[in-house]
Amino acid sequence: MKDRLQALKEEACLKIEQTEDLKELQNIRVAYLGKKGPITEVLKGMGRLSSEERPIIGAFANEVRDAITAALEQKQEELGKLEIEKKLKAESIDVTLPGRPVNKGNSHPLTAVIDEIEDLFLSMGFTVAEGPEVETDYYNFEALNLPKGHPARDMQDSFFITEDLLLRTQTSPVQARTMEKHEGKGPVKIISPGKVYRRDNDDATHSHQFMQIEGLVVDKNIRLSDLKGVLTAFAKKMFGEERKIRLRPSFFPFTEPSVEMDISCFKCGGKGCSICKQTGWIEILGAGMVHPNVLEMAGFDSKKYTGFAFGMGPERIAMLKYGIDDIRHFYTNDIRFLKQFKKA
């Protein structure tokens, strides 16, 4: 039995020395030291030995097991080091290679224009107000002097969800809600940017979903001249200090008087070109003094308080500012289009 154990030791050590693979080394461990290995089988036969031989064979068997275990551990350490060296060689980094450029993102042109407009009005003391895109008929129409059956409702083809709920057609409901929160006490000075929805056929200049930014100021002694001053500052900031503005009479149910604002053409300087349709002027937005009915419905005393409101489309401003000829470019996410507006 002692000779058998010695032979197993030599055989195992030889295999351990010759293996070059960690997985194979594990297989050798299981084969010789496992519960079903030959050493275990030899030890099972110790019951047939005399009482004098058992301790001698038992001690020798432990020596064989320890020798095989030591050989396994030593080989495992050697193979582990070799494995690490192979990985280091395979994963080495050539620090002399040029670096890979990091592609930086940039603001969407529409987002950039909205941010620029917000920054301007924030610097003038306005705050940004928001409201729900799914709106009630009352706030979208009635609170803005557009009762049920009013013909001006036809100007805004609407997406109704129920008889009383619809996708807002303008951000003006935010103005009505904000005035209500003030409970008849001024001042109110807000802009309300956001998405609006109208049943329109998508083409180069129209979209069923678009952005709108509206502004509202309500306080004592607010005049049309205040509105003109704010809009002049806006035009000069967005289109150049040399811009002039003009106000033309118009009609909006929620303002009286109502005006359309034009700016002098930034391309031809007023001489006439394709952008201004040979007129020298470009229509930018609508505005006016808040209608007394709108003030009263929001809880303000129209004899003490007056106000002005304006509304603009950021898409139109971006199209004019950057020379974009199709509103659909803003929504199709063509990376070639977006890269044109990347800042250095």
Side-chain angles (χ1 to χ4, degrees):
M1 188 173 287
K2 190 174 182 179
D3 293 339
R4 174 63 177 151
L5 288 171
Q6 180 65 32
L8 287 172
K9 173 185 172 183
E10 293 174 359
E11 181 182 308
C13 290
L14 180 61
K15 287 185 177 180
I16 291 169
E17 185 180 348
Q18 292 177 342
T19 187
E20 299 293 335
D21 183 71
L22 283 170
K23 187 175 180 180
E24 180 61 27
L25 190 67
Q26 181 61 23
N27 292 337
I28 294 172
R29 181 190 298 274
V30 173
Y32 284 92
L33 301 182
K35 292 181 179 180
K36 297 181 180 180
I39 295 177
T40 302
E41 290 296 325
V42 171
L43 293 176
K44 285 180 180 179
M46 287 181 64
R48 298 190 297 270
L49 299 176
S50 64
S51 56
E52 293 83 8
E53 290 180 308
R54 281 179 202 157
I56 298 171
I57 297 300
F60 187 68
N62 287 333
E63 289 178 13
V64 170
R65 188 184 296 275
D66 291 343
I68 294 174
T69 300
L72 284 166
E73 290 176 352
Q74 183 179 350
K75 193 64 176 182
Q76 184 173 6
E77 185 178 349
E78 292 175 5
L79 294 178
K81 289 180 179 179
L82 289 173
E83 190 74 19
I84 291 173
E85 289 177 6
K86 286 180 182 178
K87 283 187 177 181
L88 289 174
K89 289 180 180 179
E91 298 173 3
S92 62
I93 299 173
D94 187 350
V95 295
T96 64
L97 290 173
R100 294 173 182 158
V102 177
N103 292 323
K104 296 181 180 180
N106 59 286
S107 293
H108 190 283
L110 190 55
T111 302
V113 165
I114 293 172
D115 288 345
E116 188 175 354
I117 294 171
E118 286 185 357
D119 289 344
L120 168 63
F121 284 106
L122 287 172
S123 71
M124 296 168 68
F126 286 74
T127 58
V128 177
E130 296 180 342
E133 293 179 24
V134 177
E135 191 54 274
T136 64
D137 183 272
Y138 174 78
Y139 285 111
N140 197 80
F141 292 121
E142 293 181 47
L144 301 172
N145 203 33
L146 280 162
K148 285 180 169 46
H150 196 292
R153 287 195 178 205
D154 294 337
M155 297 166 59
Q156 303 178 14
D157 291 333
S158 311
F159 288 106
F160 273 92
I161 300 169
T162 68
E163 188 175 341
D164 187 56
L165 290 175
L166 71 156
L167 296 178
R168 66 182 181 188
T169 59
Q170 54 204 356
T171 54
S172 303
V174 180
Q175 299 180 18
R177 288 177 176 272
T178 303
M179 285 192 288
E180 271 192 4
K181 289 178 182 177
H182 278 255
E183 298 179 341
K185 297 178 182 179
V188 180
K189 197 172 184 181
I190 63 164
I191 56 170
S192 52
K195 296 176 184 176
V196 298
Y197 306 84
R198 297 186 187 177
R199 291 173 57 192
D200 215 337
N201 294 323
D202 289 10
D203 57 27
T205 56
H206 299 86
S207 175
H208 66 281
Q209 174 199 296
F210 54 97
M211 298 294 294
Q212 198 173 68
I213 298 179
E214 298 196 17
L216 172 72
V217 174
V218 176
D219 204 353
K220 296 175 181 178
N221 301 317
I222 297 296
R223 300 179 294 271
L224 187 65
S225 57
D226 298 317
L227 170 62
K228 184 178 180 181
V230 168
L231 295 182
T232 300
F234 162 75
K236 290 181 179 295
K237 171 65 175 177
M238 295 302 295
F239 297 102
E241 287 296 325
E242 66 279 11
R243 295 283 70 73
K244 296 178 181 179
I245 75 164
R246 72 176 183 184
L247 302 178
R248 295 180 287 107
S250 186
F251 168 76
F252 303 109
F254 31 84
T255 54
E256 181 58 40
S258 302
V259 296
E260 295 277 1
M261 186 188 90
D262 301 332
I263 63 169
S264 57
C265 183
F266 50 83
K267 183 176 182 181
C268 66
K271 297 177 182 178
C273 66
S274 59
I275 290 181
C276 62
K277 299 178 181 178
Q278 308 304 323
T279 65
W281 296 91
I282 301 173
E283 180 183 324
I284 292 294
L285 55 82
M289 300 301 292
V290 180
H291 199 292
N293 290 348
V294 175
L295 290 171
E296 293 288 345
M297 282 187 284
F300 281 85
D301 185 346
S302 61
K303 291 183 173 59
K304 293 182 180 179
Y305 286 93
T306 53
F308 65 75
F310 55 86
M312 65 187 78
E315 283 93 344
R316 174 167 174 75
I317 293 170
M319 290 172 78
L320 290 169
K321 189 177 179 71
Y322 296 123
I324 299 168
D325 59 0
D326 194 324
I327 194 173
R328 290 169 292 194
H329 288 319
F330 292 124
Y331 307 113
T332 51
N333 294 324
D334 187 332
I335 194 69
R336 297 169 299 175
F337 168 76
L338 298 176
K339 280 183 176 179
Q340 295 178 77
F341 305 95
K342 192 168 186 177
K343 295 180 180 179

